[in-house]
Amino acid sequence: MKKYRWPVLIEKDEDGYYLAIVPTLKGCHTQARSLDELLKRTREAIRLCLEVRKKEGEAVNSAEIIGFQEIEVAI
């Protein structure tokens, strides 16, 4: 079984939930009350997203994020 590494963005919302977004897998995200649960759910979400990609004939390759930048916007 081949192992892949995926970058995950983790945020905490105003209600105290942790959110995980896998930016290199379109539509792959989950949430949980604790970080431990979030990591379990994130692994499962990635597996499910990869299963869908395989069924649709898409390549299953990990991707690399080059950088992360915060951008300030006045509203």
Side-chain angles (χ1 to χ4, degrees):
M1 181 180 296
K2 187 171 181 179
K3 292 185 180 183
Y4 296 89
R5 298 180 69 91
W6 299 94
V8 177
L9 174 63
I10 298 174
E11 300 176 339
K12 189 173 185 180
D13 72 10
E14 62 275 358
D15 296 324
Y17 279 89
Y18 292 97
L19 310 170
I21 302 163
V22 185
T24 57
L25 283 175
K26 185 178 177 181
C28 189
H29 58 276
T30 190
Q31 69 179 20
R33 275 285 197 196
S34 71
L35 283 173
D36 286 340
E37 185 63 25
L38 183 71
L39 295 178
K40 290 176 192 174
R41 290 182 180 186
T42 302
R43 285 185 183 92
E44 182 61 23
I46 291 171
R47 283 188 198 102
L48 292 171
C49 288
L50 293 176
E51 285 178 19
V52 169
R53 288 180 80 157
K54 279 185 176 182
K55 286 179 184 176
E56 294 177 351
E58 295 181 40
V60 177
N61 297 315
S62 58
E64 178 183 359
I65 290 184
I66 302 303
F68 179 79
Q69 180 70 46
E70 287 187 27
I71 298 174
E72 184 176 326
V73 177
I75 54 172

